[in-house]
Amino acid sequence: MKRSLLLPLLMLVAVCGVARAEKADSTKPTNIEADQMVYDDVRQVKTFTGNVVMTRGTLIIKAGRVVLTTDQYGYEYAILYAAPGALASFRQKRDGGPDLWIEGQAERIEYSEQTEISKLFQRAHIQRMDGKRVTDEVNGEFISYDSRAEFYSVNNTVSGESKPGAGRITAVIQPKNAAPAGAVPAPAAVPAQPAAPQRKPQAAQPGKDQ
């Protein structure tokens, strides 16, 4: 293979910024497990079928079938197909923190190494995580990400167009200063009670004992 297999697929943007994949993964070997592999040397097409699991460093990709095509210039074009009733998925650590991750799912995921554009089709979902806490997530029928331009779009149809009545995309953006899991909220402040009015001393009455 010319370069890292499907690595830029994981350089997807979630809702609030660019999610950069772990740089160290680009120096790791790619391991692929499947029930079957078919290699067409003439067409330069490799097909992995049956519980496909691909790993490269922190990157883990799972799919029912993966088709890899190499063009005349050595660029890879990959298509991940979900197993029946399931979704193709990926998970990878992100740079910028000790426990930052990005995860994605879809019925079909396509990636072009030449253009560095990733496309997720049908029931597409991407989320960023800090440990186990989801910080941002987005859902739609189609998600496209251009890692060169750091640009992404989410649409409500698999054609890449948003059409009225075709459904709604959804996004959840968590507050940046969210309390860590297990933190005990501070007790509410008790409002101050008004001070009791002070009684004025009474003047001595004439003829009374002092």
Side-chain angles (χ1 to χ4, degrees):
M1 294 180 187
K2 179 178 175 293
R3 292 187 301 189
S4 63
L5 184 64
L6 290 178
L7 178 61
L9 170 64
L10 278 304
M11 298 176 66
L12 295 169
V13 173
V15 178
C16 288
V18 179
R20 297 194 176 278
E22 175 89 339
K23 294 185 176 119
D25 287 346
S26 62
T27 63
K28 305 291 176 52
T30 299
N31 301 293
I32 304 175
E33 297 180 7
D35 294 338
Q36 182 184 33
M37 172 185 175
V38 176
Y39 178 39
D40 187 336
D41 192 27
V42 176
R43 297 171 54 214
Q44 288 293 294
V45 178
K46 310 174 193 68
T47 303
F48 300 88
T49 308
N51 193 25
V52 184
V53 179
M54 304 172 60
T55 60
R56 184 181 181 92
T58 67
L59 168 62
I60 301 176
I61 292 174
K62 297 181 180 180
R65 180 162 59 101
V66 175
V67 179
L68 304 175
T69 303
T70 306
D71 66 17
Q72 59 181 328
Y73 303 106
Y75 290 104
E76 294 278 3
Y77 183 81
I79 306 178
L80 283 66
Y81 297 94
L87 295 173
S89 66
F90 62 81
R91 173 180 169 87
Q92 188 176 34
K93 191 175 184 301
R94 296 186 289 121
D95 284 331
D99 202 16
L100 300 179
W101 297 85
I102 181 170
E103 297 180 346
Q105 296 178 328
E107 293 188 17
R108 186 173 87 252
I109 301 174
E110 299 181 2
Y111 170 70
S112 170
E113 187 180 32
Q114 183 177 19
T115 62
E116 297 187 14
I117 294 177
S118 304
K119 297 178 181 179
L120 287 75
F121 299 85
Q122 293 182 293
R123 293 192 288 164
H125 171 81
I126 293 175
Q127 65 182 26
R128 295 192 305 172
M129 304 179 69
D130 184 351
K132 294 183 179 181
R133 184 175 69 91
V134 176
T135 56
D136 304 295
E137 59 183 311
V138 63
N139 301 274
E141 283 299 290
F142 176 81
I143 300 175
S144 176
Y145 174 63
D146 184 337
S147 62
R148 291 178 179 175
E150 298 183 351
F151 174 85
Y152 80 101
S153 61
V154 185
N155 301 87
N156 63 1
T157 69
V158 295
S159 66
E161 299 179 276
S162 286
K163 299 180 180 180
R168 304 281 283 178
I169 67 99
T170 62
V172 179
I173 306 173
Q174 299 293 342
K176 297 303 179 184
N177 58 349
V184 178
V190 178
Q193 297 295 327
Q198 295 182 352
R199 299 179 62 183
K200 294 182 179 180
Q202 294 183 351
Q205 297 295 324
K208 296 258 186 170
D209 294 336
Q210 300 297 317

